[in-house]
């Protein structure tokens, strides 16, 4: 069964504006972690941000923040002040404590317009 | 320190031949993951190792695919009797075993089956 859902195949944002990339997940494990990765056209996978299921506050890392709504099982990535270099594929992922494997969503292709 | 390495970086093979893909994880990482990524698509989970054992083989597409890990380090993914639909980038990642630990990805092996 699909555990991670990213409903936006593609998104466009104007340079310097903020953008939200959606991610919902499904799990019955009370202990899990949520991750966002960026994959530029070069193909490398770059870790951006992590949110634990027991974390009380939303995670932030520079221009990246994670809007964690546990009851809704959503973990949206917010990128503030978009830059041209933010154009890439973005993947949401989840790791459950009980089995430790890591599953990824289908990804969202973000294009930042000048 | 060295990151995750994969070899070969590119492999072109004829349909029906067997191929072996290798992954060298980061030293000390007990968890190792294999994913497959078709052009412009998301990451398809293949298999996960914890140490030398694979608690989750559910992602292997068919019995032509197998993987092993020895000494808690190097892993090989073997595809027998390759088919054209096996063409993809095969990504390996490693991490420490804990919910909050992010994965570190290798550069991938681009497999082309002609």
């Amino acid at each position: 069964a699909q555990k991670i859902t990213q409903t936006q195949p593609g998104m466009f944002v104007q340079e310097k504006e903020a953008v939200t990339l959606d991610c919902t997940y499904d799990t019955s494990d009370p202990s899990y972690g949520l991750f966002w990765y960026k994959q530029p056209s070069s193909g490398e996978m770059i870790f951006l941000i992590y949110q634990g299921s027991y974390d009380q506050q939303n995670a932030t890392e520079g221009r990246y923040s994670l809007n964690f709504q546990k009851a809704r099982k959503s973990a949206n990535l917010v990128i503030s002040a978009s830059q041209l270099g933010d154009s890439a594929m973005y993947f949401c992922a989840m790791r459950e404590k009980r089995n430790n494997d890591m599953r990824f969503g289908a990804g969202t292709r973000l294009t930042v317009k000048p | 320190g060295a990151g995750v390495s994969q070899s070969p970086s590119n492999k072109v093979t004829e349909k029906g031949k067997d191929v072996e893909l290798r992954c060298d994880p980061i030293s000390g990482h007990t968890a190792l993951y294999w994913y497959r990524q078709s052009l412009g698509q998301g990451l398809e989970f293949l298999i996960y190792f914890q140490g030398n054992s694979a608690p989750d083989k559910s992602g292997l597409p068919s019995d032509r695919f197998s993987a092993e890990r020895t000494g808690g380090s190097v892993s090989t993914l073997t595809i027998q009797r390759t088919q054209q639909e096996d063409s993809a980038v095969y990504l390996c990642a490693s991490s420490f075993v804990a919910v909050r630990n992010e994965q570190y990805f290798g550069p991938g092996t681009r497999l082309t089956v002609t």
Side-chain angles (χ1 to χ4, degrees):
Chain A
Q2 180 73 27
K3 290 188 174 182
I4 301 286
T5 304
Q6 294 181 254
T7 57
Q8 307 153 312
M11 288 282 286
F12 291 87
V13 65
Q14 206 65 38
E15 192 178 8
K16 300 181 185 176
E17 292 186 350
V19 63
T20 298
L21 306 183
D22 294 342
C23 174
T24 58
Y25 59 92
D26 184 31
T27 181
S28 58
D29 191 340
S31 181
Y32 54 90
L34 297 157
F35 302 79
W36 277 91
Y37 284 83
K38 172 184 178 181
Q39 188 180 43
S41 56
S42 58
E44 62 187 307
M45 291 287 285
I46 302 168
F47 165 70
L48 296 178
I49 196 167
Y50 164 82
Q51 179 83 44
S53 59
Y54 294 118
D55 292 346
Q56 295 296 312
Q57 294 190 328
N58 287 344
T60 60
E61 288 288 346
R63 294 186 299 109
Y64 304 108
S65 60
L66 201 150
N67 184 0
F68 181 46
Q69 298 187 43
K70 193 170 182 177
R72 296 180 59 187
K73 293 187 176 178
S74 76
N76 299 339
L77 177 71
V78 181
I79 306 175
S80 63
S82 297
Q83 302 172 357
L84 296 178
D86 294 335
S87 294
M89 282 288 285
Y90 288 82
F91 292 100
C92 179
M94 178 177 68
R95 169 187 271 148
E96 297 169 321
K97 183 177 181 180
R98 63 187 170 190
N99 56 25
N100 203 48
D101 66 8
M102 188 96 114
R103 302 299 175 111
F104 285 76
T108 295
R109 181 172 298 281
L110 177 67
T111 302
V112 179
K113 295 181 172 180
Chain B
V4 178
S5 61
Q6 292 186 245
S7 61
S9 55
N10 277 285
K11 177 72 176 178
V12 180
T13 189
E14 291 180 354
K15 177 181 172 181
K17 302 277 189 179
D18 298 351
V19 295
E20 270 193 6
L21 312 180
R22 177 187 169 106
C23 173
D24 275 281
I26 291 173
S27 178
H29 281 184
T30 52
L32 187 147
Y33 307 78
W34 284 99
Y35 298 91
R36 177 167 72 174
Q37 187 176 29
S38 301
L39 187 63
Q41 302 299 309
L43 275 69
E44 176 188 4
F45 171 83
L46 297 180
I47 190 168
Y48 153 63
F49 287 93
Q50 188 160 317
N52 290 335
S53 65
D56 189 351
K57 301 180 182 180
S58 63
L60 293 176
S62 73
D63 59 8
R64 296 186 295 104
F65 288 71
S66 63
E68 65 175 12
R69 189 179 186 194
T70 54
S73 182
V74 172
S75 175
T76 55
L77 176 69
T78 301
I79 309 173
Q80 295 178 310
R81 304 180 303 281
T82 52
Q83 304 293 313
Q84 287 186 331
E85 60 263 28
D86 298 334
S87 296
V89 175
Y90 289 81
L91 289 165
C92 174
S94 72
S95 75
F96 291 111
V97 177
V99 168
R100 71 171 301 110
N101 292 126
E102 72 269 27
Q103 293 175 317
Y104 292 82
F105 280 82
T109 293
R110 182 176 297 279
L111 175 66
T112 304
V113 182
T114 61

